[in-house]
Coordinates of all heavy atoms in Angstrom, one line a residue:
E406 N -36.0 -20.2 3.4 CA -35.1 -20.0 4.6 C -35.8 -19.9 6.0 O -36.6 -19.0 6.1 CB -34.4 -18.7 4.2 CG -33.5 -18.6 3.0 CD -32.8 -17.4 2.8 OE1 -32.8 -16.5 3.7 OE2 -32.3 -17.1 1.7
E407 N -35.4 -20.7 6.8 CA -36.0 -20.7 8.1 C -35.2 -19.9 9.1 O -34.1 -19.5 8.8 CB -36.0 -22.2 8.6 CG -36.9 -23.1 7.8 CD -38.4 -22.9 8.0 OE1 -38.8 -22.0 8.8 OE2 -39.2 -23.5 7.3
L408 N -35.9 -19.6 10.2 CA -35.1 -18.8 11.2 C -34.2 -19.6 12.1 O -34.1 -20.8 12.0 CB -36.3 -18.1 12.1 CG -37.3 -17.3 11.3 CD1 -38.3 -16.8 12.2 CD2 -36.6 -16.3 10.5
I409 N -33.6 -18.8 13.0 CA -32.6 -19.5 13.8 C -33.2 -20.6 14.6 O -32.5 -21.6 14.8 CB -32.0 -18.4 14.9 CG1 -31.1 -17.3 14.1 CG2 -31.1 -19.0 15.9 CD1 -30.6 -16.3 14.9
D410 N -34.4 -20.6 15.1 CA -35.0 -21.6 15.9 C -35.0 -22.9 15.2 O -34.9 -23.9 15.8 CB -36.3 -21.1 16.4 CG -36.4 -20.1 17.4 OD1 -35.3 -19.9 18.0 OD2 -37.3 -19.4 17.7
F411 N -35.2 -22.9 13.8 CA -35.2 -24.1 13.1 C -33.9 -24.8 13.2 O -33.8 -26.0 13.2 CB -35.6 -23.7 11.6 CG -35.4 -24.8 10.6 CD1 -36.4 -25.8 10.6 CD2 -34.2 -25.0 9.9 CE1 -36.3 -26.9 9.6 CE2 -34.1 -26.1 9.0 CZ -35.2 -27.0 8.8
H412 N -32.8 -24.0 13.2 CA -31.4 -24.7 13.1 C -31.0 -25.1 14.6 O -30.3 -26.1 14.8 CB -30.4 -23.7 12.6 CG -30.7 -23.4 11.1 ND1 -30.5 -24.3 10.0 CD2 -31.2 -22.3 10.5 CE1 -30.8 -23.8 9.0 NE2 -31.3 -22.7 9.2
T413 N -31.5 -24.3 15.6 CA -31.1 -24.8 17.0 C -31.8 -26.0 17.4 O -31.3 -26.7 18.2 CB -31.4 -23.6 17.9 OG1 -32.8 -23.2 17.9 CG2 -30.6 -22.3 17.6
K414 N -33.1 -26.2 16.8 CA -33.8 -27.4 17.2 C -33.3 -28.6 16.4 O -33.6 -29.8 16.9 CB -35.3 -27.2 17.0 CG -35.9 -26.2 17.9 CD -37.4 -25.9 17.5 CE -38.0 -24.8 18.4 NZ -39.4 -24.4 18.0
M415 N -32.6 -28.4 15.3 CA -32.0 -29.6 14.6 C -30.9 -30.1 15.2 O -30.0 -29.5 15.7 CB -31.7 -29.0 13.2 CG -31.2 -30.1 12.2 SD -30.6 -29.4 10.6 CE -32.0 -28.6 10.1
H416 N -30.9 -31.5 15.3 CA -29.8 -32.1 16.0 C -28.6 -32.0 15.2 O -28.6 -31.8 13.9 CB -30.1 -33.6 16.2 CG -29.1 -34.3 17.1 ND1 -28.0 -34.8 16.7 CD2 -29.3 -34.7 18.4 CE1 -27.4 -35.5 17.7 NE2 -28.2 -35.4 18.8
K417 N -27.4 -31.9 16.0 CA -26.1 -31.6 15.3 C -25.8 -32.6 14.2 O -25.4 -32.4 13.2 CB -25.0 -31.6 16.4 CG -23.6 -31.4 15.8 CD -22.7 -31.3 17.1 CE -21.3 -31.1 16.5 NZ -20.7 -32.2 15.8
N418 N -26.1 -33.8 14.5 CA -25.8 -35.0 13.5 C -26.7 -34.7 12.2 O -26.3 -35.0 11.2 CB -26.2 -36.3 14.1 CG -25.2 -36.7 15.2 OD1 -24.1 -36.2 15.3 ND2 -25.5 -37.6 16.1
D419 N -28.0 -34.4 12.4 CA -28.9 -34.1 11.3 C -28.3 -33.0 10.4 O -28.4 -33.1 9.2 CB -30.3 -33.8 11.8 CG -31.0 -35.0 12.4 OD1 -30.6 -36.1 12.1 OD2 -31.9 -34.7 13.2
R420 N -27.8 -31.9 11.0 CA -27.3 -30.8 10.4 C -26.1 -31.2 9.5 O -25.9 -31.0 8.4 CB -27.0 -29.7 11.3 CG -26.5 -28.4 10.6 CD -26.6 -27.2 11.4 NE -26.0 -27.4 12.7 CZ -26.7 -27.3 13.9 NH1 -28.0 -27.0 13.9 NH2 -26.1 -27.4 15.0
E421 N -25.2 -32.0 10.2 CA -23.8 -32.4 9.6 C -24.3 -33.4 8.4 O -23.6 -33.3 7.4 CB -23.0 -33.2 10.6 CG -22.5 -32.1 11.6 CD -21.6 -32.8 12.8 OE1 -21.7 -34.0 12.8 OE2 -21.1 -32.2 13.5
D422 N -25.2 -34.4 8.7 CA -25.6 -35.2 7.6 C -26.2 -34.5 6.4 O -25.9 -34.9 5.2 CB -26.6 -36.3 8.1 CG -25.8 -37.3 9.1 OD1 -24.7 -37.4 9.0 OD2 -26.7 -38.0 9.8
T423 N -27.0 -33.6 6.7 CA -27.5 -32.8 5.5 C -26.5 -32.0 4.7 O -26.6 -32.0 3.5 CB -28.5 -31.8 6.0 OG1 -29.5 -32.4 6.8 CG2 -29.3 -31.0 5.0
I424 N -25.5 -31.4 5.4 CA -24.5 -30.7 4.7 C -23.5 -31.6 3.9 O -23.1 -31.3 2.8 CB -23.6 -29.8 5.7 CG1 -24.5 -28.8 6.3 CG2 -22.4 -29.2 4.9 CD1 -23.9 -28.0 7.5
F425 N -23.4 -32.8 4.5 CA -22.6 -33.9 3.8 C -23.3 -34.3 2.5 O -22.7 -34.4 1.4 CB -22.4 -35.0 4.7 CG -21.8 -36.2 4.0 CD1 -20.5 -36.3 3.6 CD2 -22.7 -37.3 3.6 CE1 -19.9 -37.4 2.9 CE2 -22.1 -38.5 3.0 CZ -20.8 -38.5 2.5
T426 N -24.6 -34.5 2.6 CA -25.3 -34.8 1.5 C -25.3 -33.8 0.3 O -25.2 -34.1 -0.9 CB -26.9 -35.1 1.8 OG1 -26.9 -36.1 2.8 CG2 -27.7 -35.5 0.6
L427 N -25.4 -32.6 0.7 CA -25.3 -31.5 -0.2 C -24.0 -31.5 -0.8 O -23.7 -31.2 -2.0 CB -25.6 -30.1 0.5 CG -27.0 -29.9 1.0 CD1 -27.1 -28.7 1.8 CD2 -27.9 -29.6 -0.4
A428 N -22.9 -31.7 -0.1 CA -21.5 -31.6 -0.7 C -21.4 -32.8 -1.7 O -20.7 -32.5 -2.7 CB -20.5 -32.0 0.5
V429 N -22.0 -34.0 -1.5 CA -22.0 -35.0 -2.4 C -22.7 -34.7 -3.8 O -22.2 -34.8 -4.9 CB -22.5 -36.3 -1.9 CG1 -22.7 -37.4 -3.0 CG2 -21.7 -36.8 -0.6
I430 N -24.0 -34.0 -3.5 CA -24.8 -33.7 -4.7 C -24.1 -32.6 -5.6 O -24.0 -32.7 -6.8 CB -26.1 -33.2 -4.3 CG1 -27.0 -34.4 -3.7 CG2 -26.9 -32.6 -5.5 CD1 -28.3 -34.0 -3.1
F431 N -23.6 -31.5 -4.9 CA -22.9 -30.6 -5.6 C -21.6 -31.1 -6.4 O -21.4 -30.7 -7.5 CB -22.4 -29.4 -4.7 CG -23.5 -28.4 -4.2 CD1 -23.7 -28.2 -2.9 CD2 -24.3 -27.9 -5.1 CE1 -24.6 -27.3 -2.5 CE2 -25.2 -27.0 -4.7 CZ -25.5 -26.7 -3.5

Side-chain angles (χ1 to χ4, degrees):
E406 291 182 16
E407 297 287 358
L408 302 178
I409 290 177
D410 289 345
F411 171 81
H412 297 285
T413 57
K414 292 175 182 176
M415 185 186 297
H416 193 277
K417 180 176 180 289
N418 292 340
D419 293 335
R420 183 162 52 241
E421 291 175 351
D422 289 343
T423 303
I424 296 172
F425 170 74
T426 300
L427 288 167
V429 174
I430 293 176
F431 281 132

